Amino acid sequence: MKKNILIILTGGTISMKSVGNLGVVPTSELADFLKQFPQLEGVANVEVLDYLNLPSPYMTPQMMFELAKTIDNKILSYDGVVVTHGTDTLEESAFLADLVLTTRKPVVFTAAMRSGGDLGLDGPRNIIGSVRVASHHESIDKGVLVVMNDEIHTARDVTKSDTGKVDAFASPGFGALGIVDPDTIVYHRATLYRENVWTETLDTRVDLIKAVAGLDGKYIDCSVANGSRAIVIEAFGRGNLPKELLPSIENAIKEGVIIVIASRSKTGRVLPEYGYDGGGKHLQDLGAILAGDLQGVKVRLKLMALLGKYDNIELVKRFFLQSMPAE
Ligand code: ASP
């Protein structure tokens, strides 16, 4: 029996086309296109919610959170939801939804790298693939999925790894969860590592700073002075930083700001391995939290959710650490 799927539109290149000298800009044509998209007919009973029409660089964490709440409410009346989104911040919206959604039904994010009018459009194909994945019984309880270029990824692992190619989305170190083949959906692996933060509010006072050679403490000082409750630092490799940051990190911790160390490397975990000043072990000894293998942009969103849920910083730290793999 055909499933009932809601497609929620939020904008992005999938809703854009090239208009003369203006370049690639938003249009309002996707909703109408989907209503007459013949290939969808045979796949599922589809309804469309024209929710937003934004370039995804305009999406804020609060907007992503409200989108997640909308999905959670709307999905009560459907078998699954597909969200079309800009590719630039898709991994953040999808991951925040993965954290806060309470539903176990399939939720699939998709997008396009090519805008309307381009040769070899990927958007319509990605939408069909996503509706098929959202309709498939094996997609239940897999967390939020991302379907691009006939591949199925988890929201936790996926990232936009290329600025222009149709196969821009990858899950570095792990690979796709499955594929969308013409005859069926094939899952290759399970999502073993899942985490949820069921919260009704988000606290967006969390910053992210990327380590570069010669970095000093000025950005950390600025964040603390501006009222940040937590700062994610994308450190080098296993989680190491220049020692010039230490006075600012120590001051931030003294002020009650949570310091979380992620890595600017694309794969692998941060570890308390190096004991020199600024090394991961030293930072942990000072009171910083090491974020495992979660990428910095996602660590930031997780902290926003935890800080929205718990007012007590010790609880936030404890719940952050509890979601890490056990030793
Ligand atoms: N700039 C676009 C966006 O994210 C890129 C895309 O959708 O592919 O909105």
Side-chain angles (χ1 to χ4, degrees):
M1 205 175 64
K2 278 200 285 184
K3 298 284 175 64
N4 299 316
I5 304 294
L6 178 67
I7 304 182
I8 301 181
L9 311 184
T10 72
T13 293
I14 200 163
S15 298
M16 299 188 193
K17 73 177 184 195
S18 180
V19 180
N21 291 335
L22 294 176
V24 177
V25 290
T27 72
S28 54
E29 293 165 17
L30 184 60
D32 287 340
F33 169 79
L34 288 174
K35 282 174 201 150
Q36 307 151 20
F37 191 12
Q39 286 94 330
L40 269 180
E41 271 292 296
V43 177
N45 302 315
V46 167
E47 286 178 32
V48 177
L49 174 64
D50 210 348
Y51 177 74
L52 279 177
N53 194 2
L54 290 180
S56 74
Y58 293 4
M59 290 292 281
T60 63
Q62 190 58 39
M63 291 158 77
M64 293 171 178
F65 185 66
E66 280 156 25
L67 170 63
K69 291 291 164 193
T70 302
I71 297 168
D72 233 359
N73 286 330
K74 292 282 179 192
I75 207 165
L76 295 171
S77 318
Y78 297 88
D79 298 308
V81 163
V82 170
V83 180
T84 64
H85 199 285
T87 57
D88 289 344
T89 60
L90 183 149
E91 67 204 66
E92 287 170 72
S93 274
F95 177 70
L96 185 62
D98 194 39
L99 279 183
V100 305
L101 285 182
T102 61
T103 183
R104 296 169 64 197
K105 292 180 184 174
V107 175
V108 181
F109 276 63
T110 194
M113 293 298 291
R114 294 177 178 154
S115 60
D118 273 5
L119 281 178
L121 274 190
D122 55 336
R125 186 178 179 97
N126 287 340
I127 289 173
I128 294 279
S130 299
V131 172
R132 288 180 56 209
V133 169
S135 306
H136 197 267
H137 64 279
E138 280 187 77
S139 304
I140 293 169
D141 209 13
K142 283 215 165 22
V144 172
L145 301 169
V146 174
V147 169
M148 291 289 286
N149 196 38
D150 299 341
E151 290 180 344
I152 310 166
H153 296 266
T154 66
R156 187 181 192 278
D157 297 334
V158 79
T159 188
K160 183 177 178 179
S161 62
D162 190 275
T163 60
K165 291 195 296 201
V166 167
D167 69 340
F169 281 75
S171 297
F174 302 111
L177 200 60
I179 53 168
V180 180
D181 254 352
D183 58 337
T184 190
I185 305 299
V186 185
Y187 281 104
H188 293 303
R189 64 178 179 92
T191 45
L192 294 180
Y193 193 69
R194 298 270 305 280
E195 46 190 326
N196 292 109
V197 183
W198 288 320
T199 176
E200 289 306 315
T201 51
L202 206 61
D203 187 335
T204 58
R205 291 172 294 172
V206 184
D207 288 322
L208 183 146
I209 295 168
K210 182 171 188 156
V212 288
L215 181 70
D216 63 21
K218 64 176 177 284
Y219 299 127
I220 295 176
D221 297 344
C222 177
S223 284
V224 173
N226 279 284
S228 288
R229 298 193 68 200
I231 302 170
V232 184
I233 307 176
E234 279 188 1
F236 303 116
R238 279 293 203 195
N240 312 309
L241 290 171
K243 62 181 180 340
E244 286 70 22
L245 264 72
L246 293 175
S248 300
I249 288 177
E250 284 174 302
N251 177 57
I253 291 171
K254 190 165 78 32
E255 295 288 325
V257 177
I258 302 172
I259 299 288
V260 181
I261 307 296
S263 179
R264 66 177 210 173
S265 297
K266 293 293 168 224
T267 58
R269 294 164 60 222
V270 288
L271 282 185
E273 190 170 350
Y274 292 94
Y276 58 77
D277 285 358
K281 179 178 183 325
H282 181 232
L283 295 171
Q284 190 178 59
D285 290 344
L286 290 178
I289 294 175
L290 304 188
D293 68 354
L294 195 58
Q295 287 290 297
V297 293
K298 294 179 182 175
V299 174
R300 172 175 170 261
L301 292 167
K302 183 172 162 183
L303 285 163
M304 288 180 183
L306 283 170
L307 285 162
K309 186 173 170 91
Y310 305 110
D311 208 22
N312 174 320
I313 280 191
E314 290 313 314
L315 270 185
V316 172
K317 287 189 192 171
R318 180 159 19 119
F319 280 92
F320 193 95
L321 288 171
Q322 272 174 351
S323 64
M324 300 285 180
E327 280 177 30

